[in-house]
mmCIF file of all heavy atoms in Angstrom:
data_model
loop_
_atom_site.group_PDB
_atom_site.id
_atom_site.type_symbol
_atom_site.label_atom_id
_atom_site.label_comp_id
_atom_site.label_asym_id
_atom_site.label_seq_id
_atom_site.Cartn_x
_atom_site.Cartn_y
_atom_site.Cartn_z
ATOM 1 N N LEU A 49 -28.508 -22.794 -24.397
ATOM 2 C CA LEU A 49 -27.480 -22.867 -23.361
ATOM 3 C C LEU A 49 -26.095 -22.983 -23.979
ATOM 4 O O LEU A 49 -25.169 -22.233 -23.637
ATOM 5 C CB LEU A 49 -27.736 -24.081 -22.455
ATOM 6 C CG LEU A 49 -28.549 -23.822 -21.193
ATOM 7 C CD1 LEU A 49 -28.711 -25.118 -20.413
ATOM 8 C CD2 LEU A 49 -27.847 -22.766 -20.337
ATOM 9 N N VAL A 50 -25.964 -23.931 -24.915
ATOM 10 C CA VAL A 50 -24.662 -24.173 -25.547
ATOM 11 C C VAL A 50 -24.168 -22.913 -26.254
ATOM 12 O O VAL A 50 -23.041 -22.456 -26.030
ATOM 13 C CB VAL A 50 -24.765 -25.355 -26.538
ATOM 14 C CG1 VAL A 50 -23.521 -25.428 -27.413
ATOM 15 C CG2 VAL A 50 -24.980 -26.653 -25.771
ATOM 16 N N CYS A 51 -25.049 -22.336 -27.075
ATOM 17 C CA CYS A 51 -24.626 -21.180 -27.873
ATOM 18 C C CYS A 51 -24.317 -19.972 -26.996
ATOM 19 O O CYS A 51 -23.324 -19.269 -27.212
ATOM 20 C CB CYS A 51 -25.706 -20.808 -28.883
ATOM 21 S SG CYS A 51 -25.874 -22.030 -30.182
ATOM 22 N N SER A 52 -25.161 -19.712 -25.981
ATOM 23 C CA SER A 52 -24.944 -18.517 -25.171
ATOM 24 C C SER A 52 -23.683 -18.661 -24.331
ATOM 25 O O SER A 52 -22.966 -17.681 -24.101
ATOM 26 C CB SER A 52 -26.160 -18.232 -24.286
ATOM 27 O OG SER A 52 -26.378 -19.311 -23.395
ATOM 28 N N LEU A 53 -23.401 -19.884 -23.865
ATOM 29 C CA LEU A 53 -22.173 -20.073 -23.077
ATOM 30 C C LEU A 53 -20.939 -19.938 -23.962
ATOM 31 O O LEU A 53 -19.939 -19.334 -23.560
ATOM 32 C CB LEU A 53 -22.198 -21.430 -22.372
ATOM 33 C CG LEU A 53 -23.187 -21.508 -21.191
ATOM 34 C CD1 LEU A 53 -23.246 -22.915 -20.621
ATOM 35 C CD2 LEU A 53 -22.808 -20.504 -20.107
ATOM 36 N N TRP A 54 -21.015 -20.474 -25.177
ATOM 37 C CA TRP A 54 -19.898 -20.287 -26.113
ATOM 38 C C TRP A 54 -19.692 -18.804 -26.424
ATOM 39 O O TRP A 54 -18.562 -18.311 -26.449
ATOM 40 C CB TRP A 54 -20.160 -21.052 -27.423
ATOM 41 C CG TRP A 54 -19.569 -22.425 -27.410
ATOM 42 C CD1 TRP A 54 -20.226 -23.608 -27.341
ATOM 43 C CD2 TRP A 54 -18.165 -22.753 -27.467
ATOM 44 N NE1 TRP A 54 -19.346 -24.664 -27.337
ATOM 45 C CE2 TRP A 54 -18.073 -24.170 -27.415
ATOM 46 C CE3 TRP A 54 -16.992 -22.000 -27.538
ATOM 47 C CZ2 TRP A 54 -16.854 -24.832 -27.439
ATOM 48 C CZ3 TRP A 54 -15.781 -22.671 -27.564
ATOM 49 C CH2 TRP A 54 -15.724 -24.066 -27.519
ATOM 50 N N ALA A 55 -20.816 -18.120 -26.645
ATOM 51 C CA ALA A 55 -20.712 -16.683 -26.963
ATOM 52 C C ALA A 55 -20.102 -15.923 -25.795
ATOM 53 O O ALA A 55 -19.278 -15.025 -25.984
ATOM 54 C CB ALA A 55 -22.102 -16.126 -27.299
ATOM 55 N N THR A 56 -20.484 -16.305 -24.572
ATOM 56 C CA THR A 56 -19.938 -15.634 -23.392
ATOM 57 C C THR A 56 -18.434 -15.893 -23.276
ATOM 58 O O THR A 56 -17.658 -14.981 -23.001
ATOM 59 C CB THR A 56 -20.654 -16.126 -22.117
ATOM 60 O OG1 THR A 56 -22.055 -15.975 -22.305
ATOM 61 C CG2 THR A 56 -20.215 -15.335 -20.906
ATOM 62 N N ALA A 57 -18.055 -17.154 -23.521
ATOM 63 C CA ALA A 57 -16.633 -17.506 -23.454
ATOM 64 C C ALA A 57 -15.843 -16.710 -24.490
ATOM 65 O O ALA A 57 -14.779 -16.150 -24.195
ATOM 66 C CB ALA A 57 -16.457 -19.001 -23.671
ATOM 67 N N LEU A 58 -16.378 -16.655 -25.706
ATOM 68 C CA LEU A 58 -15.697 -15.895 -26.765
ATOM 69 C C LEU A 58 -15.614 -14.419 -26.400
ATOM 70 O O LEU A 58 -14.578 -13.779 -26.579
ATOM 71 C CB LEU A 58 -16.492 -16.037 -28.073
ATOM 72 C CG LEU A 58 -15.988 -17.055 -29.082
ATOM 73 C CD1 LEU A 58 -16.920 -17.072 -30.294
ATOM 74 C CD2 LEU A 58 -14.568 -16.680 -29.533
ATOM 75 N N ALA A 59 -16.731 -13.890 -25.872
ATOM 76 C CA ALA A 59 -16.748 -12.476 -25.500
ATOM 77 C C ALA A 59 -15.717 -12.205 -24.405
ATOM 78 O O ALA A 59 -15.069 -11.158 -24.396
ATOM 79 C CB ALA A 59 -18.142 -12.070 -25.026
ATOM 80 N N LEU A 60 -15.540 -13.171 -23.489
ATOM 81 C CA LEU A 60 -14.545 -13.006 -22.424
ATOM 82 C C LEU A 60 -13.130 -13.001 -22.998
ATOM 83 O O LEU A 60 -12.336 -12.110 -22.717
ATOM 84 C CB LEU A 60 -14.670 -14.146 -21.410
ATOM 85 C CG LEU A 60 -15.664 -13.954 -20.262
ATOM 86 C CD1 LEU A 60 -15.838 -15.257 -19.504
ATOM 87 C CD2 LEU A 60 -15.186 -12.854 -19.321
ATOM 88 N N VAL A 61 -12.850 -14.012 -23.822
ATOM 89 C CA VAL A 61 -11.498 -14.168 -24.355
ATOM 90 C C VAL A 61 -11.111 -12.968 -25.224
ATOM 91 O O VAL A 61 -9.983 -12.485 -25.172
ATOM 92 C CB VAL A 61 -11.389 -15.486 -25.160
ATOM 93 C CG1 VAL A 61 -10.097 -15.536 -25.946
ATOM 94 C CG2 VAL A 61 -11.500 -16.666 -24.209
ATOM 95 N N LEU A 62 -12.056 -12.476 -26.005
ATOM 96 C CA LEU A 62 -11.750 -11.359 -26.900
ATOM 97 C C LEU A 62 -12.051 -10.011 -26.254
ATOM 98 O O LEU A 62 -11.370 -9.025 -26.512
ATOM 99 C CB LEU A 62 -12.577 -11.493 -28.196
ATOM 100 C CG LEU A 62 -12.425 -12.813 -28.950
ATOM 101 C CD1 LEU A 62 -13.370 -12.850 -30.142
ATOM 102 C CD2 LEU A 62 -10.982 -12.994 -29.412
ATOM 103 N N GLY A 63 -13.059 -9.971 -25.414
ATOM 104 C CA GLY A 63 -13.532 -8.700 -24.884
ATOM 105 C C GLY A 63 -12.686 -8.172 -23.734
ATOM 106 O O GLY A 63 -12.521 -6.955 -23.600
ATOM 107 N N VAL A 64 -12.154 -9.069 -22.890
ATOM 108 C CA VAL A 64 -11.348 -8.604 -21.754
ATOM 109 C C VAL A 64 -10.079 -7.890 -22.245
ATOM 110 O O VAL A 64 -9.780 -6.778 -21.798
ATOM 111 C CB VAL A 64 -11.037 -9.757 -20.779
ATOM 112 C CG1 VAL A 64 -10.000 -9.331 -19.752
ATOM 113 C CG2 VAL A 64 -12.316 -10.194 -20.055
ATOM 114 N N PRO A 65 -9.334 -8.488 -23.185
ATOM 115 C CA PRO A 65 -8.173 -7.745 -23.719
ATOM 116 C C PRO A 65 -8.575 -6.430 -24.387
ATOM 117 O O PRO A 65 -7.894 -5.415 -24.234
ATOM 118 C CB PRO A 65 -7.573 -8.713 -24.747
ATOM 119 C CG PRO A 65 -8.035 -10.060 -24.317
ATOM 120 C CD PRO A 65 -9.393 -9.858 -23.718
ATOM 121 N N LEU A 66 -9.704 -6.456 -25.095
ATOM 122 C CA LEU A 66 -10.177 -5.248 -25.757
ATOM 123 C C LEU A 66 -10.491 -4.167 -24.716
ATOM 124 O O LEU A 66 -10.113 -2.998 -24.865
ATOM 125 C CB LEU A 66 -11.426 -5.583 -26.584
ATOM 126 C CG LEU A 66 -11.874 -4.579 -27.627
ATOM 127 C CD1 LEU A 66 -10.757 -4.271 -28.604
ATOM 128 C CD2 LEU A 66 -13.099 -5.106 -28.372
ATOM 129 N N ALA A 67 -11.155 -4.578 -23.633
ATOM 130 C CA ALA A 67 -11.483 -3.638 -22.556
ATOM 131 C C ALA A 67 -10.209 -3.079 -21.946
ATOM 132 O O ALA A 67 -10.124 -1.890 -21.604
ATOM 133 C CB ALA A 67 -12.320 -4.334 -21.485
ATOM 134 N N TRP A 68 -9.198 -3.933 -21.828
ATOM 135 C CA TRP A 68 -7.912 -3.498 -21.274
ATOM 136 C C TRP A 68 -7.284 -2.428 -22.160
ATOM 137 O O TRP A 68 -6.800 -1.402 -21.681
ATOM 138 C CB TRP A 68 -6.975 -4.703 -21.131
ATOM 139 C CG TRP A 68 -5.617 -4.312 -20.669
ATOM 140 C CD1 TRP A 68 -4.463 -4.273 -21.395
ATOM 141 C CD2 TRP A 68 -5.263 -3.870 -19.349
ATOM 142 N NE1 TRP A 68 -3.431 -3.832 -20.617
ATOM 143 C CE2 TRP A 68 -3.893 -3.583 -19.372
ATOM 144 C CE3 TRP A 68 -5.997 -3.687 -18.177
ATOM 145 C CZ2 TRP A 68 -3.222 -3.127 -18.247
ATOM 146 C CZ3 TRP A 68 -5.319 -3.229 -17.059
ATOM 147 C CH2 TRP A 68 -3.948 -2.960 -17.092
ATOM 148 N N VAL A 69 -7.323 -2.676 -23.456
ATOM 149 C CA VAL A 69 -6.763 -1.704 -24.398
ATOM 150 C C VAL A 69 -7.498 -0.375 -24.273
ATOM 151 O O VAL A 69 -6.880 0.688 -24.180
ATOM 152 C CB VAL A 69 -6.844 -2.247 -25.844
ATOM 153 C CG1 VAL A 69 -6.515 -1.148 -26.847
ATOM 154 C CG2 VAL A 69 -5.901 -3.427 -26.014
ATOM 155 N N PHE A 70 -8.824 -0.423 -24.211
ATOM 156 C CA PHE A 70 -9.593 0.821 -24.103
ATOM 157 C C PHE A 70 -9.317 1.537 -22.779
ATOM 158 O O PHE A 70 -9.318 2.754 -22.697
ATOM 159 C CB PHE A 70 -11.092 0.540 -24.241
ATOM 160 C CG PHE A 70 -11.516 0.235 -25.643
ATOM 161 C CD1 PHE A 70 -12.435 -0.771 -25.897
ATOM 162 C CD2 PHE A 70 -10.982 0.936 -26.714
ATOM 163 C CE1 PHE A 70 -12.831 -1.052 -27.192
ATOM 164 C CE2 PHE A 70 -11.363 0.657 -28.019
ATOM 165 C CZ PHE A 70 -12.300 -0.344 -28.255
ATOM 166 N N ALA A 71 -9.097 0.758 -21.706
ATOM 167 C CA ALA A 71 -8.905 1.368 -20.391
ATOM 168 C C ALA A 71 -7.502 1.953 -20.232
ATOM 169 O O ALA A 71 -7.310 2.934 -19.542
ATOM 170 C CB ALA A 71 -9.176 0.348 -19.285
ATOM 171 N N ARG A 72 -6.505 1.364 -20.900
ATOM 172 C CA ARG A 72 -5.133 1.720 -20.558
ATOM 173 C C ARG A 72 -4.246 2.169 -21.708
ATOM 174 O O ARG A 72 -3.175 2.708 -21.473
ATOM 175 C CB ARG A 72 -4.442 0.513 -19.885
ATOM 176 C CG ARG A 72 -4.883 0.293 -18.461
ATOM 177 C CD ARG A 72 -4.494 1.486 -17.600
ATOM 178 N NE ARG A 72 -5.237 1.500 -16.348
ATOM 179 C CZ ARG A 72 -4.936 0.775 -15.288
ATOM 180 N NH1 ARG A 72 -3.915 -0.041 -15.335
ATOM 181 N NH2 ARG A 72 -5.660 0.854 -14.203
ATOM 182 N N VAL A 73 -4.651 1.921 -22.943
ATOM 183 C CA VAL A 73 -3.744 2.258 -24.039
ATOM 184 C C VAL A 73 -4.285 3.465 -24.796
ATOM 185 O O VAL A 73 -5.442 3.488 -25.206
ATOM 186 C CB VAL A 73 -3.572 1.056 -25.005
ATOM 187 C CG1 VAL A 73 -2.548 1.394 -26.079
ATOM 188 C CG2 VAL A 73 -3.157 -0.189 -24.246
ATOM 189 N N GLU A 74 -3.437 4.472 -24.924
ATOM 190 C CA GLU A 74 -3.800 5.640 -25.719
ATOM 191 C C GLU A 74 -3.311 5.422 -27.138
ATOM 192 O O GLU A 74 -2.153 5.095 -27.350
ATOM 193 C CB GLU A 74 -3.144 6.891 -25.132
ATOM 194 C CG GLU A 74 -3.823 7.434 -23.885
ATOM 195 C CD GLU A 74 -5.247 7.905 -24.143
ATOM 196 O OE1 GLU A 74 -5.504 8.424 -25.249
ATOM 197 O OE2 GLU A 74 -6.095 7.735 -23.248
ATOM 198 N N PHE A 75 -4.212 5.543 -28.103
ATOM 199 C CA PHE A 75 -3.755 5.458 -29.482
ATOM 200 C C PHE A 75 -4.653 6.363 -30.322
ATOM 201 O O PHE A 75 -5.784 6.671 -29.926
ATOM 202 C CB PHE A 75 -3.779 4.006 -29.987
ATOM 203 C CG PHE A 75 -5.109 3.320 -29.878
ATOM 204 C CD1 PHE A 75 -5.998 3.322 -30.943
ATOM 205 C CD2 PHE A 75 -5.474 2.664 -28.697
ATOM 206 C CE1 PHE A 75 -7.222 2.680 -30.842
ATOM 207 C CE2 PHE A 75 -6.699 2.026 -28.591
ATOM 208 C CZ PHE A 75 -7.577 2.041 -29.667
ATOM 209 N N PRO A 76 -4.159 6.799 -31.470
ATOM 210 C CA PRO A 76 -4.961 7.698 -32.287
ATOM 211 C C PRO A 76 -6.249 6.999 -32.748
ATOM 212 O O PRO A 76 -6.215 5.814 -33.092
ATOM 213 C CB PRO A 76 -4.047 8.018 -33.478
ATOM 214 C CG PRO A 76 -2.754 7.335 -33.249
ATOM 215 C CD PRO A 76 -2.841 6.511 -32.021
ATOM 216 N N GLY A 77 -7.338 7.708 -32.719
ATOM 217 C CA GLY A 77 -8.610 7.143 -33.160
ATOM 218 C C GLY A 77 -9.238 6.223 -32.147
ATOM 219 O O GLY A 77 -10.139 5.443 -32.478
ATOM 220 N N ARG A 78 -8.753 6.317 -30.896
ATOM 221 C CA ARG A 78 -9.244 5.423 -29.862
ATOM 222 C C ARG A 78 -10.762 5.527 -29.673
ATOM 223 O O ARG A 78 -11.459 4.511 -29.607
ATOM 224 C CB ARG A 78 -8.536 5.785 -28.548
ATOM 225 C CG ARG A 78 -8.705 4.794 -27.459
ATOM 226 C CD ARG A 78 -8.075 5.312 -26.174
ATOM 227 N NE ARG A 78 -8.781 4.757 -25.045
ATOM 228 C CZ ARG A 78 -9.928 5.215 -24.612
ATOM 229 N NH1 ARG A 78 -10.470 6.268 -25.176
ATOM 230 N NH2 ARG A 78 -10.533 4.634 -23.622
ATOM 231 N N SER A 79 -11.280 6.759 -29.627
ATOM 232 C CA SER A 79 -12.713 6.910 -29.361
ATOM 233 C C SER A 79 -13.539 6.417 -30.544
ATOM 234 O O SER A 79 -14.646 5.917 -30.380
ATOM 235 C CB SER A 79 -13.051 8.363 -29.028
ATOM 236 O OG SER A 79 -12.559 9.222 -30.024
#
Side-chain angles (χ1 to χ4, degrees):
Chain A
L49 266 180
V50 168
C51 290
S52 61
L53 288 175
W54 267 109
T56 307
L58 261 179
L60 273 170
V61 169
L62 305 176
V64 170
L66 195 56
W68 176 253
V69 169
F70 286 139
R72 285 297 163 81
V73 184
E74 283 297 326
F75 56 93
R78 192 185 151 281
S79 53

